[in-house]
Amino acid sequence: MSAVFGRAMRAQFSLREDGSFLNHGSYGACPRVVAGEQARLRTEMESHPDAFMARMYPDRDIREPRRVAQQLAGITGTTGDRIALVENATTGVQAVLNSLPFGPGDHILITDHQYNAVRLGVEARCRDAGATPVVVRIPLPTTADEIVERVLAAAADRVRLVVLDHITSPSALVLPVERLIPELRRRGIPVLLDGAHAIGQLPLQLDTLGADWYVSNMHKWAYAPRGSAMLYASPAATPLTRPVLTSHYIGMGFPHSFDYVGTRDYTAWLAVPRALQFLSELDTSRLWAHEAHLVDTATTALLAAGAQVIAPASMSAAMRAFLLPQRRPAIDADAAQVIRTLWEQERIQIRCARIGGKLLLRVCAQAYVEADEMQALGAALARHGWPERQ
């Protein structure tokens, strides 16, 4: 495939022709060829369910999840025996939280930019164990130096785990994890990185990065079907790590105990190699250059409309978030109104969220997005002027 980005790339996807889809980071968009591969696998599964499922068992000669893990290892800088397949990044986070022996007096450190499901999972685990969640506040605007200072200041003796985003979800910040991980490890604090947005946006070398655990989704920036994600465990963390559900192969340990956990649809996992092939065919260096140009275009357009950047450009990849101008503290209904109005009146699909009293508009660049769509977003924002006219 000779990749021609922008409007010409839309033919590779099933997206509606009458919309601008600038929210790839939430749910992804599966290319037609990858969706076709999953459909083929489903037909194969239904034609002989017993034979198909037997290929998932971790104690057989043919073990399809291990083949997928090996391919993922090739693009993430590790080996296949350090990767387990899971349905989504949240499931991977839950597996780690449930695997560790927290107790009264222990602390789990997160930030206030954490993905909501992860925050809820940390809070639930703390309630069950009698532990305490510690939330590091990251102000907006911010810098990498400020984030490092705040996280390390909160990483006190009772912290038993630090959970950090590699790329935050609502604010699209690439956190300075390369600076944080060595210092946290020096203090003896394990680190779990939520890289839900990372594969396909950033180059990864997981063994070098040094986190104890790393989770990432395949369905976002790696073009795989929804329901495909990975959990990495370092050699030291491997013996501790078990799946959320106890099933037939729990005794085989990580990663094999994750491969077959009951009867489920494994076709999303098995379609990952075709998705990685699609990503490779795009040529990531060219794709990332296209996405960087789109983010630059969006930045110019949104600043002209009165929005404000929240961090230096070096802290963004294929997503960037902006503070919207406002006269009062934002409420959740404001974010919902922005999303609804932009789609219903402008046919622009976007992500808007509230952090504290501030309203964040997150822009996602993608292979199928054209620069004029980013300019149209800025023009729409200038016309509607949320929320200072409310």
Side-chain angles (χ1 to χ4, degrees):
M1 177 177 65
S2 177
V4 180
F5 299 121
R7 203 160 282 110
M9 183 60 66
R10 288 286 287 269
Q12 302 288 336
F13 297 82
S14 298
L15 295 164
R16 287 174 52 162
E17 289 296 328
D18 64 342
S20 290
F21 293 90
L22 308 182
N23 187 31
H24 186 93
S26 284
Y27 306 108
C30 193
R32 295 179 188 272
V33 293
V34 180
E37 173 64 3
Q38 186 179 25
R40 183 193 69 78
L41 288 162
R42 281 185 171 143
T43 298
E44 181 182 345
M45 176 174 61
E46 298 305 332
S47 69
H48 194 165
D50 293 73
F52 186 90
M53 288 297 177
R55 289 158 45 197
M56 308 303 120
Y57 299 160
D59 61 349
R60 300 296 176 92
D61 291 336
I62 300 175
R63 299 178 292 171
E64 295 290 355
R66 292 297 91 217
R67 178 177 64 87
V68 175
Q70 193 59 46
Q71 292 202 30
L72 287 170
I75 68 164
T76 58
T78 186
T79 56
D81 60 352
R82 296 182 187 175
I83 290 179
L85 302 181
V86 290
E87 287 84 354
N88 50 58
T90 304
T91 302
V93 170
Q94 292 275 359
V96 174
L97 291 174
N98 292 348
S99 296
L100 298 180
F102 300 110
D106 291 342
H107 291 175
I108 302 176
L109 189 151
I110 61 175
T111 77
D112 61 340
H113 291 231
Q114 212 82 49
Y115 186 61
N116 187 53
V118 173
R119 176 184 63 81
L120 292 172
V122 168
E123 291 174 352
R125 184 70 181 97
C126 285
R127 282 195 302 271
D128 291 344
T132 302
V134 175
V135 180
V136 176
R137 307 292 176 186
I138 298 177
L140 294 177
T142 192
T143 65
D145 288 345
E146 185 168 36
I147 292 170
V148 170
E149 180 181 348
R150 285 174 175 254
V151 170
L152 294 182
D157 292 342
R158 289 191 289 177
V159 173
R160 297 294 178 261
L161 178 69
V162 171
V163 184
L164 293 172
D165 291 289
H166 199 165
I167 304 176
T168 61
S169 180
S171 50
L173 295 172
V174 180
L175 297 188
V177 296
E178 293 86 355
R179 295 170 58 185
L180 285 166
I181 292 172
E183 179 57 29
L184 292 169
R185 295 292 302 276
R186 189 186 68 78
R187 299 182 185 189
I189 303 174
V191 179
L192 164 59
L193 284 188
D194 181 354
H197 290 275
I199 292 183
Q201 268 204 80
L202 298 174
L204 290 177
Q205 293 292 323
L206 295 182
D207 287 344
T208 302
L209 188 59
D212 296 271
W213 296 274
Y214 193 101
V215 297
S216 189
N217 286 321
M218 302 296 110
H219 74 268
K220 294 178 182 286
W221 303 88
Y223 302 113
R226 293 162 196 89
S228 55
M230 57 161 277
L231 166 62
Y232 163 92
S234 70
T238 292
L240 305 172
T241 311
R242 62 181 188 270
V244 172
L245 295 177
T246 298
S247 192
H248 304 289
Y249 298 98
I250 191 69
M252 295 185 70
F254 184 93
H256 307 287
S257 57
F258 286 75
D259 287 351
Y260 185 87
V261 184
T263 305
R264 57 185 173 188
D265 187 346
Y266 293 86
T267 59
W269 290 358
L270 301 192
V272 166
R274 185 62 187 91
L276 297 181
Q277 181 184 342
F278 182 88
L279 176 61
S280 175
E281 289 169 350
L282 294 184
D283 184 346
T284 52
S285 61
R286 292 185 59 240
L287 173 63
W288 291 345
H290 171 73
E291 290 171 342
H293 171 65
L294 291 175
V295 171
D296 287 346
T297 302
T299 300
T300 299
L302 292 178
L303 291 183
Q308 180 185 359
V309 297
I310 64 171
S314 59
M315 294 182 68
S316 65
M319 305 190 297
R320 198 173 192 187
F322 302 82
L323 289 170
L324 293 183
Q326 56 194 91
R327 290 180 178 174
R328 57 166 172 77
I331 59 177
D332 288 339
D334 293 333
Q337 181 193 343
V338 171
I339 295 170
R340 182 174 59 253
T341 302
L342 280 172
W343 178 251
E344 292 178 353
Q345 298 188 25
E346 307 288 348
R347 281 295 180 262
I348 298 173
Q349 188 64 61
I350 200 72
R351 172 78 171 123
C352 189
R354 177 180 65 87
I355 290 187
K358 297 184 177 182
L359 207 56
L360 284 176
L361 191 78
R362 188 189 71 186
V363 176
C364 296
Q366 241 315 316
Y368 52 74
V369 175
E370 198 80 44
D372 61 12
E373 295 179 272
M374 297 299 191
Q375 294 164 346
L377 173 63
L381 178 63
R383 282 194 298 274
H384 293 283
W386 303 288
E388 79 267 17
R389 294 179 186 172
Q390 298 175 354

